Amino acid sequence: MKARTAFLVLLTAGVVGSAAWLVFFSPVLGVRSVEIVGNLTVPSERIKQQAGVADLHPLATVDLAGVEGRVLGIRQLASAKVDRLWPGTLKIEVVEREPVAGVQVGDKVAVVDKQGVVIEVKSSVPPMLPLLKVDRPAEGDPVMMAALQVVQAVPDVVAPRVRQVRAGTAEGVSLVLSDGRTVIWGGTDRPEEKGRILASLLKREKAKVYDVSSPDVVTLK
């Protein structure tokens, strides 16, 4: 009886040991493919290379947080989530940063997202993006953040016509349109009202300057 029990214990241990080896050390359940989801402009191959996971590396021992951190080294990506799909697929789901404006830096233009993070550097402002003019073009700067909030608040019917966004203070944001007209937007308060009033004024009123900084008292010049 004792011999039989000992045999069963050894057999169980052997099965468990084999299973553990199969899962944690063997290439049988290794990474055979990397699935990239959510990328629109960043090539999948670049994300795979940045992930740094070798072929047939045991899927169970892949450091998911480490992969996420490496993938986020690509500045165009805002977030990354990594999951295991058994038996041999590593899934990387990413969200790309959306460019909202360009900032002049010397003779180059830094393309930034809504948080002021530089996505890429170009020789000129990409089409349909406004040029941001602030004294301190730095991520987290209050004036720059206010200007970026205004960029996002501009109505879709007006946004393609905005060529420049200027801000000397967080409460003094203004827009320059493609036809040379100026919009004094003011601060980041009451964005929906300002946007709605501006869209309406541009349709029916001819002026050089539209001041919607106080939606209750709009002035034209």
Side-chain angles (χ1 to χ4, degrees):
M1 188 65 178
K2 290 182 178 180
R4 182 180 178 184
T5 301
F7 173 75
L8 290 175
V9 170
L10 289 174
L11 181 62
T12 301
V15 171
V16 171
S18 297
W21 176 83
L22 187 68
V23 172
F24 295 103
F25 301 101
S26 168
V28 173
L29 293 178
V31 177
R32 297 181 181 276
S33 64
V34 179
E35 179 183 351
I36 310 296
V37 179
N39 58 315
L40 298 174
T41 62
V42 181
S44 295
E45 192 58 36
R46 182 183 176 192
I47 297 175
K48 291 179 183 178
Q49 292 177 356
Q50 191 74 15
V53 179
D55 290 343
L56 301 182
H57 180 100
L59 186 59
T61 63
V62 173
D63 180 1
L64 302 186
V67 174
E68 290 177 2
R70 290 193 293 274
V71 168
L72 288 178
I74 300 176
R75 65 173 63 185
Q76 289 94 332
L77 300 181
S79 67
K81 181 182 178 183
V82 184
D83 291 308
R84 299 181 181 90
L85 299 180
W86 298 98
T89 299
L90 191 69
K91 179 181 178 181
I92 304 176
E93 185 173 359
V94 301
V95 175
E96 295 186 357
R97 295 187 183 278
E98 182 179 352
V100 299
V103 181
Q104 195 76 45
V105 181
D107 60 347
K108 300 291 184 180
V109 173
V111 179
V112 299
D113 71 353
K114 63 182 181 181
Q115 297 174 327
V117 176
V118 176
I119 300 174
E120 57 184 333
V121 177
K122 291 184 169 290
S123 58
S124 60
V125 183
M128 306 307 289
L129 289 186
L131 180 65
L132 201 63
K133 292 201 168 185
V134 294
D135 294 333
R136 294 183 57 197
E139 181 182 345
D141 177 71
V143 178
M144 181 168 174
M145 297 309 295
L148 289 172
Q149 286 185 52
V150 171
V151 170
Q152 297 171 82
V154 173
D156 291 341
V157 295
V158 179
R161 300 157 67 180
V162 178
R163 289 295 173 265
Q164 291 185 12
V165 180
R166 299 173 177 175
T169 68
E171 299 298 322
V173 182
S174 63
L175 316 173
V176 178
L177 305 183
S178 55
D179 57 8
R181 290 185 287 180
T182 299
V183 177
I184 300 175
W185 188 278
T188 58
D189 59 309
R190 303 169 69 179
E192 293 183 1
E193 291 179 70
K194 292 178 180 180
R196 184 172 61 253
I197 293 170
L198 176 61
S200 176
L201 287 174
L202 290 175
K203 284 182 180 179
R204 57 186 176 80
E205 301 289 347
K206 297 295 184 180
K208 291 185 177 180
V209 179
Y210 299 78
D211 188 341
V212 296
S213 58
S214 177
D216 297 323
V217 185
V218 175
T219 59
L220 306 180
K221 299 178 182 179

